Amino acid sequence: VYIRWGRTTCPNGADRVYYGRAAGSRWSAKGGTSDYLCLPETPQYKNYYSSVVHLPELYGVEYDLDNGRTSLLRQMYQDDMPCVLCSVTTRSKMIMIPARYQCPSEWNREYSGYLMS
C-alpha cells in the first residue's frame, strides 16, 4: 500500500483503494501535521463540532510553481494536488485513512478514533 502524490490513478499491477486531495498544516501555523495526508474525495464525519475553533487545521496542498513561467506550470499553478492510495494485492497491507470511519469494501477495521495533532 502506498500513496501516489499528484495522481488519481494507480500504475498497472496496483489497485486504487481511494483517491482524494493532499492536505497538510498551514505553512505559518504552529502544531499540526508534519507530513502530508491523502484525504479521501468523500470524507465522512461521525461527530462534527462547528464550535471547535482555533486549533491546528488542515489545508489543501496547492501547486505553487514559481508563478507558472512555462505553459505546463501555468496549467498547474495553484491547482489542488491530487493523490491516490494504491494497493498491490500480492502484498500484506495496513493503512490509516484520515477523514473516514468506514473501511473500503473487503477491508477490516482494526481501530477507530480521532486524528489529533
Side-chain angles (χ1 to χ4, degrees):
V1 176
Y2 60 94
I3 296 173
R4 192 173 187 205
W5 301 103
R7 302 277 192 250
T8 58
T9 59
C10 296
N12 290 337
D15 298 320
R16 183 171 79 178
V17 178
Y18 72 86
Y19 70 96
R21 302 285 172 215
S25 296
R26 184 175 172 88
W27 64 271
S28 61
K30 291 181 171 53
T33 179
S34 61
D35 297 324
Y36 289 130
L37 300 172
C38 183
L39 298 179
E41 191 72 19
T42 54
Q44 296 174 330
Y45 300 100
K46 193 162 193 168
N47 294 310
Y48 176 76
Y49 303 101
S50 61
S51 62
V52 177
V53 295
H54 305 298
L55 299 173
E57 298 173 313
L58 292 175
Y59 292 84
V61 174
E62 295 179 340
Y63 293 110
D64 191 4
L65 303 167
D66 198 27
N67 294 323
R69 294 182 183 182
T70 69
S71 61
L72 174 62
L73 298 182
R74 271 194 299 278
Q75 292 172 7
M76 296 171 57
Y77 183 63
Q78 292 190 333
D79 281 351
D80 293 335
M81 179 188 286
C83 57
V84 60
L85 184 78
C86 301
S87 172
V88 179
T89 57
T90 58
R91 298 187 176 104
S92 63
K93 46 195 116 336
M94 185 280 308
I95 58 171
M96 184 278 298
I97 303 175
R100 302 278 301 180
Y101 60 88
Q102 293 178 327
C103 294
S105 61
E106 300 180 16
W107 288 64
N108 296 312
R109 182 175 66 190
E110 300 293 333
Y111 172 79
S112 168
Y114 291 100
L115 184 64
M116 308 295 269
S117 69

